[in-house]
Amino acid sequence: MPALFPRWTNTAVRTVLISLAVVLPGVPISVMAWQRTPGATGSGYSPDQPVPFNHLLHVTDFRIDCRYCHASAERSSVAGLPPSSACTACHNEVWSNSIALAPVRQSLATNRPVAWNRVNRLPDFVYFNHSIHVAKGVGCETCHGRVDRMSQVVRTAPLTMQWCVDCHANPGPKLRPVDEITVMGRAVGADQVALGDELVRRYKVRRLTNCTTCHR
Amino acid sequence: MTSFDDELSRRNFVKLLGASMALAGLDGCSRMPGEKILPYVHQPRELTPGIATHYATAMMLDGFATGLVVESHEGRPTKIEGNPDHPASLGAAGIFEQASLLQLYDSNRASAVRSAHAPTGWEAFSEAFSPRALRNHVGGHGAGLALLLEATSSSVIADMIATLKGLYPEAGIHYYSPLARTEASIPQYDIRAANVILAIESDFLAAGPMQLRMSREFSDRRREPSADMNRLYAIESAVTVTGSSADHRFRCRPSMIQPVLAELYSLLGDASVPAQRAAERSYGGITSSALRVIAADLSRHKGQCLVIAGERQPPSVHALVAAINEQLGNTGRTVWRIRSPLLGAGDGSFSIEALAGRLRDGAVDTLICIGGNPSYNTPGPLQFDGAFRKVRNTAYVGLYENETGQNAKWLVPAAHYLETWGDGRAYDGTLSVVQPLVQPLNGGKSAVEILAAVCGVEKSPLALLRESLGRTGLVGETAWTDAVRRGFVVGAAAPRIQGPTIVVPTAAAPEKTDHIDVTFAADSRTHDGSFANNGWLQELPDPVTKLTWDNAAHLSPATAARLLVGSGDTVLVRTPASSIRLPVLIVAGHADDSVTVHFGYGRRGAERLAAGVGTDVFPMWPATGAFVSSASVDRAVDAGQHTFAITQSHWKMDGREQAKSETLRSYNARQATFKPDDHPPPSLFKGEPPPAAVKQWAMTIDLGLCTGCSACVVACQSENNIPVVGKEDVEKSREMQWLRIDRYQDGTEENPEFIAQPMLCQQCERAPCEYVCPVGATDHSPDGLNEMVYNRCVGTRFCSNNCPYKVRRFNWFDYNAEISETEKMAKNPDVTVRERGVMEKCTFCVQRIREKEISAEVAGTPFLGSSVVTACQQACPTRAITFGSLTEPESEVMRQREGPRAYNVLDELGTRPRVRYLSRIRNANPALDTEQ
Amino acid sequence: MRTLPSDAVLTERLLAPLWNVPRFWWLLFGLSSMGTLLLIGAVSYTVARGIGVWGNNIPVAWAFAITNFVWWIGIGHAGTFISAFLLLLNQRWRGSINRIAEAMTIFALVNAAMFPVLHLGRPWFFYWLVPYPSTMNVWPNFKSALPWDVAAVTAYFTVSLLFWYLGLVPDFASARDAAPTRLRRIAYGVFAMGWRGSGYQWSRYRIAYMLLAGLATPLVISVHSIVSLDFSITKLPGWHSTIFPPYFVIGAIYSGLAMVIILLIPLRRAFSLADLITEMHFDRLAKLMLVMGLMLLYSYVMESFMSWYSGDQYERYVYLFSRPRGPYAVAYWIMTIFNVGAPQVFWLRRFRTSTVVLFLVSVAVLIGMWLERFIIIVTSLNRDFLTSSWHVFVPTWVDLSILAGSLALFSTLFLLFVRFVPAMAISEMKVLRHELSVSPTVGQAADA
């Protein structure tokens, strides 16, 4: 009787076997790799806002301190977003009737809040507290990036647990004197290591990596 | 405590709701953004997002106020706590006060003004009931107008009533709350001053308007076992919290109470109790000989002892008790009277019987019923429901469209006390201010607003309140602000008055009767039914029976045996009024030949949770409103087996020393030779020693002080977002409360020795749960906490299997997905809302620890262990729970841990719990002590 | 047995079931697949609603699911025991039953593997038990027994599958050559992987087979030992016991042998294999059962004795009161009678060779072994240390459906196996036959 399988089937079988050897470990590995890409973590996320608020302008040109708008960063767990009334403090004088500010004016008129799009989002089971980080010398820039260069706010941190823990396990390198908290583009000198250790001592910074530091 | 009284600065709740949603984030938990943030339009100055604010207010129950402090996150009340300065609270909060938070957010609340069955609106109502409109129907003098209010002590309501009386001189003003105390003068007690206390059918430690204060005063004399310790005798038919906390508890048939007191009275006749034995009598439990011992003990402490009769005892009993206290020279020292602050107290306007009569005679054209639920909670024979429906024009103002609301022509949603201004008096007469925290969620109206509308007064409740308080002498802005900030007016307790002249009833000889005494009791969880729609309370195990989601006919083992019934069987209880079928629950320690039934179940209103839970016993309540009546009880053969949802199935300790108790005498003997052992038990696996730099959290619980009242359980449920699982799951032993109160009754079925033991995560240093978790979802923190990480948990439940204390709770279903949108607002934003399939347990209120820790470090102030107060500790009326750090040698918790009474539960397992218990000390009277 | 049919006849007979399907097969297959649908239904319901649809509670947080898991894993063991163990011990008579035993192992494992995932509160996160570098940089807790469970079961499944398949290759080849249609020839041909039966292939084959046998053998010991650690590492009286690993392994092989017998007897009847699966096979299986039964008896006695001897009140309570006299006493006594009492009949040859008795005893043992796991898990949990937390467990219809369904799934798979795969190791039979024809004493040699 004729051969059940033609010659090419040998090659076919070999190819299948080899590709299996590649694919089986390949799939999980690539998934783990993808997990670490911005696509998965959401860093670089930059939604359009109802009001095209320009940080570059307000921070770099007008030298407005972060805490003017994000007033509770030093006292509360949340940094806080400015109430509509805060905008009009200046914008009654300048650009008082620009189209860009229409939502703010409307908010004040209708007494309904401006609905901003959240950029930096932590899961609900993570309890992040701004005030303690500020008090221990973690600058705004460290997590929020060069906001002074952003005309539209971009999320710069991956905000993965690993990212948090890396700093919690070894805070020194990320610390700065509390009076430089809001400084943007602070140069990290060669003395940072020494300075870090010094600040860890001065601010009694602990290496907090136990669960209830963030999860409650 | 901050406060604000400017109506305009109050933010619209819906906006706050939006903000808090974004800030607290109660929704799902996706990693990717796509969520809105809603900042304020104008930020209220007293409010910082992310920082909770606290406001003083007060809650009324049966007309008396309890001062509270309410925590609010971004404008939504999330936790109700006691007001440390308020005389009726002293910092503690009872289960009703705390659970009233859930009532605020109850999605079943009445939400719109309706007439007939068509929704109208507030304007329509105020129009229809305005003087102009109403006069045509009720006559110029308002002869056809009747008003029915809940028992109240509010001065602003009093003023409105006065105004109304001016408008309608002949209008009938009635007050009714089935459990309210209606005498013209009410007794006040100084428990602290009493060395010996005799409680007659009185649950003063767990029920009544002053329970929190009395519990504290009682416990203050028991903190240290010493000669100074007070002694409590209890004589009661049903088993109460007070009875099971007593040093000596005696059973007694309800109908025998008066004879017992009569004999006690005669025994006390001459100071030296007669040596020759009088005729030995037994009163269905307590005997003459026991009475003699008690009498002797009492008369040894003349002027420093106290006899308390239950609030709902007949006048004759109260008269006897007053006489006995007189005899013992207690009057004016441990007990005195004040004029009752309740409106209409003692002047007959509390007689619901009279009102029912008027309604039936057609004398009433318009009945305005503010609060309460007379169609449900009035004695069956009165047929109030029918009479109510006869009235041409009826209006009901209430939180729910309950039995009364459903029959009323008009329904007006009432404002919750957290939604409106008001005032009231504490049991001791202290003027307390009710301050709102939110705008009415669904346009509810307060009693004051209703009355204002009826009187045609156009003033805001706040304005009216300030006027009335002005009349009571609270004048000036500072006085007002101070009162609002404190929540009450300092030193405003009512003056002592001369009690009514005591007429000692002639001692009736205890007649032998074949009938069974039936006692109508307030339910420990639904009270008179007004809390029946509250999940936290329905699922709160009864302090005595551990029964949830139900009521039952309580019988003693002997009586049940005589009637050939067991728990779960159905009996037919026949009173002169009517007869009702009830499932039997056998309660060890209950008096023989008597049955105890509880109000507050079998609701037929629009409250979805309460519907169909338990059986309504109001129909067989005598028209006189007497709480004890005679009945016949027979087994209902045709009925099937009723399944109770009881959280505990085994009541004996079987010789396992779980909850330790000893008599003062044996303690003294032991303490003489006591030396603390400082070396920890051996352990195979070497966990590295805890770092000294950080706190080491620990807790002690004094079983000698714990009465089992369960306030801590509700506090924990509220603080930690613990879901309600429902009757079916409780039957399956799936209740979720992190803190449960175990109850053991060793000894005889007739007279067991009761002991309550709060059981929560013991935060073991060598935690068995930790090493078995495959994903490390439960782990140990440097500061000695056994951490539970919900978001890491996959739900193998291995940890629960290996927990010797079985204090871990599992989310068998997605319980939190089933709750209403408004109910979500009651959640504490500082605690994760757990999803289905994860384990959870007591965390020592880690959110409170971290919050204090962080704020101390931010402020650069030293962080003291004593600054952290756990929810259970805070609510405890007797201060039985102590919390602190082992790194502070002088701290109270350390002192107690090292004391002779301290012990670890299941110490032999080497788990090294961070929770230690102090053994209970019974100040037993040697003359009665069974141990000798 | 001494007069075996010729190779050709043998091959034809053993392949027959593949070509012509008896009616009863369709009947059984219909029934079992209905049961499998029940399983699918119950499982989807559980995943959709949550574990709450089972009877589990606190304190009894583990019940049916884990019982089934341990039971099925145990059954699997006999397969490897017979094929690998006996192969290394050069027990020739295994040749006629090892294929079935191995198939049973695979299908039992398929069932077993389902339960640990299913019983999770959040099954969609089961992979957190596997060590891999996550962006949370947290790892499984290797102090716990469960990650090791995962490893053990996965390894066991892989090895068993390979072992089974390798043994099948020559028979697939003969199936390929005998298949009536071209389609089937191709199908079997693919699985035969171009087996030609050359001496070269045979030598390679033998080496590979022996190597896998060597790999599988320690697994027979290790897997159930690790499973037993799920219990013995805890503090729970009734679980906290050092005897567990051997005790579990014995129980495992015991239940497995019972399952093998239950499968063999009808198969032998259905395909008239009396001359290949002979009384001698049953006799020896029965003897093995008896030995295992006695070892189990020893374990039972030891457990209870140690609990008494320890003087620990909680241990004593569980073993001396809760189990024999508590709420599950009936289950406990059935377990004891079935596991220890029933096999004693095998002291008599008459019963060792009576298929009826064998079948009944085996069923009894399977029930007994399931109850044993149930007793161990539930009676230890439902009354542990604090008397206040005691509570009984009552299974729901979902619990029962899943148990029934898993049995159905097992039989479905097994029916498909006898339908599409040579149920007996044809090649080995031929070898055996040749050896026997050369020296009729090989059989006895193997006995010794």
Side-chain angles (χ1 to χ4, degrees), chain C residues 13-163:
Chain C
R13 263 186 55 196
L14 294 181
L15 287 174
L18 276 56
W19 319 134
N20 31 41
V21 192
R23 178 173 281 97
F24 69 82
W25 187 90
W26 286 109
L27 183 71
L28 293 174
F29 184 70
L31 287 174
S32 57
S33 30
M34 263 186 281
T36 315
L37 287 180
L38 177 67
L39 175 70
I40 294 166
V43 167
S44 343
Y45 183 59
T46 306
V47 175
R49 292 271 291 114
I51 302 298
V53 299
W54 298 351
N56 300 36
N57 59 30
I58 305 291
V60 188
W62 285 358
F64 264 43
I66 303 299
T67 308
N68 299 342
F69 164 68
V70 179
W71 188 62
W72 277 119
I73 287 266
I75 287 173
H77 278 59
T80 329
F81 177 78
I82 289 169
S83 47
F85 238 94
L86 299 189
L87 174 71
L88 295 187
L89 298 176
N90 196 30
Q91 295 285 315
R92 290 262 169 52
W93 57 277
R94 70 178 265 291
S96 46
I97 58 172
N98 71 323
R99 173 68 43 78
I100 293 163
E102 288 161 25
M104 178 193 75
T105 302
I106 305 289
F107 304 147
L109 283 178
V110 170
N111 268 305
M114 170 177 72
F115 288 103
V117 177
L118 187 61
H119 102 292
L120 293 180
R122 304 198 292 174
W124 46 93
F125 287 132
F126 74 94
Y127 62 89
W128 284 356
L129 274 76
V130 181
Y132 72 98
S134 75
T135 55
M136 301 177 285
N137 76 357
V138 281
W139 296 83
N141 169 17
F142 295 107
K143 281 186 213 155
S144 170
L146 298 189
W148 298 105
D149 254 4
V150 178
V153 175
T154 336
Y156 188 37
F157 185 73
T158 322
V159 172
S160 312
L161 193 63
L162 286 174
F163 194 51

Side-chain angles (χ1 to χ4, degrees), chain B residues 209-447:
Chain B
M210 247 355 194
Q211 48 140 326
L212 298 171
R213 183 188 188 86
M214 293 211 245
S215 298
R216 170 73 70 78
E217 292 183 338
F218 175 71
S219 59
D220 282 346
R221 288 287 303 272
R222 297 177 82 87
R223 295 200 184 282
E224 292 307 326
S226 69
D228 188 45
M229 222 173 146
N230 60 14
R231 177 175 295 149
L232 172 62
Y233 299 94
I235 301 177
E236 58 184 18
S237 54
V239 184
T240 67
V241 165
T242 307
S244 28
S245 321
D247 298 301
H248 292 288
R249 176 182 180 275
F250 301 93
R251 305 186 305 155
C252 177
R253 265 185 82 171
S255 59
M256 297 282 187
I257 290 292
Q258 196 179 331
V260 165
L261 285 169
E263 176 163 359
L264 184 63
Y265 182 63
S266 62
L267 281 171
L268 290 165
D270 58 316
S272 65
V273 179
Q276 86 284 5
R277 300 188 139 277
E280 180 71 11
R281 287 214 197 108
S282 170
Y283 301 92
I286 186 162
T287 59
S288 304
S289 52
L291 274 174
R292 269 189 227 99
V293 177
I294 297 173
D297 204 0
L298 286 170
S299 43
R300 258 201 304 281
H301 297 273
K302 279 196 188 300
Q304 289 170 317
C305 59
L306 177 59
V307 182
I308 306 179
E311 317 177 357
R312 287 182 276 284
Q313 286 299 300
S316 54
V317 166
H318 279 289
L320 261 168
V321 167
I324 291 172
N325 277 322
E326 194 67 44
Q327 246 174 344
L328 291 163
N330 297 333
T331 320
R333 298 163 87 164
T334 56
V335 57
W336 64 93
R337 299 185 83 84
I338 65 166
R339 175 166 293 100
S340 170
L342 289 192
L343 308 188
D347 68 4
S349 47
F350 266 94
S351 163
I352 194 75
E353 212 167 351
L355 176 62
R358 285 192 63 201
L359 298 185
R360 232 177 278 104
D361 306 345
V364 175
D365 166 85
T366 300
L367 171 63
I368 304 171
C369 181
I370 303 174
N373 187 7
S375 291
Y376 165 76
N377 64 18
T378 45
L382 292 182
Q383 302 291 340
F384 189 92
D385 196 17
F388 183 85
R389 274 193 238 130
K390 273 219 199 67
V391 181
R392 181 191 68 84
N393 183 21
T394 52
Y396 176 70
V397 184
L399 284 175
Y400 301 96
E401 181 157 13
N402 54 21
E403 292 83 344
T404 315
Q406 285 170 335
N407 296 334
K409 305 277 183 311
W410 287 84
L411 175 78
V412 181
H416 190 270
Y417 74 92
L418 293 173
E419 298 172 334
T420 178
W421 286 99
D423 76 319
R425 302 265 175 182
Y427 185 78
D428 70 348
T430 302
L431 176 61
S432 315
V433 181
V434 180
Q435 180 185 201
L437 275 82
V438 291
Q439 294 268 327
L441 290 183
N442 33 29
K445 298 292 172 187
S446 68

Side-chain angles (χ1 to χ4, degrees), chain C residues 133-254:
Chain C
S134 75
T135 55
M136 301 177 285
N137 76 357
V138 281
W139 296 83
N141 169 17
F142 295 107
K143 281 186 213 155
S144 170
L146 298 189
W148 298 105
D149 254 4
V150 178
V153 175
T154 336
Y156 188 37
F157 185 73
T158 322
V159 172
S160 312
L161 193 63
L162 286 174
F163 194 51
W164 183 57
Y165 177 68
L166 191 65
L168 269 167
V169 169
D171 294 359
F172 275 137
S174 20
R176 171 197 61 201
D177 303 341
T181 69
R182 174 173 172 74
L183 190 69
R184 292 190 186 179
R185 279 210 296 284
I186 292 177
Y188 285 110
V190 168
F191 285 105
M193 295 179 105
W195 177 269
R196 262 180 260 85
S198 66
Y200 172 80
Q201 284 181 330
W202 272 114
S203 64
R204 285 286 180 286
Y205 170 89
R206 290 243 175 277
I207 296 166
Y209 201 63
M210 275 299 175
L211 281 177
L212 278 173
L215 262 178
T217 312
L219 287 174
V220 178
I221 308 300
S222 70
V223 174
H224 228 50
S225 304
I226 290 175
V227 169
S228 79
L229 293 184
D230 295 356
F231 307 101
S232 49
I233 64 165
T234 66
K235 286 175 117 47
L236 198 68
W239 287 13
H240 181 68
S241 156
T242 49
I243 202 178
F244 265 30
Y247 167 28
F248 267 51
V249 173
I250 293 159
I253 295 168
Y254 190 38

Side-chain angles (χ1 to χ4, degrees), chain B residues 100-147:
Chain B
S100 65
L101 179 74
L102 208 56
Q103 206 168 30
L104 168 68
Y105 295 110
D106 193 336
S107 57
N108 294 172
R109 275 177 66 182
S111 54
V113 180
R114 65 148 184 78
S115 153
H117 290 297
T120 54
W122 168 246
E123 290 64 28
F125 173 85
S126 48
E127 177 50 43
F129 287 80
S130 65
R132 232 177 324 93
L134 210 52
R135 274 223 169 72
N136 313 331
H137 298 293
V138 301
H141 295 311
L145 175 64
L147 212 65

Side-chain angles (χ1 to χ4, degrees), chain B residues 715-732:
Chain B
C716 179
Q717 187 141 24
S718 174
E719 171 73 15
N720 293 304
N721 300 337
I722 297 171
V724 172
V725 301
K727 185 170 195 273
E728 291 72 18
D729 274 0
V730 176
E731 280 168 19
K732 286 205 176 98

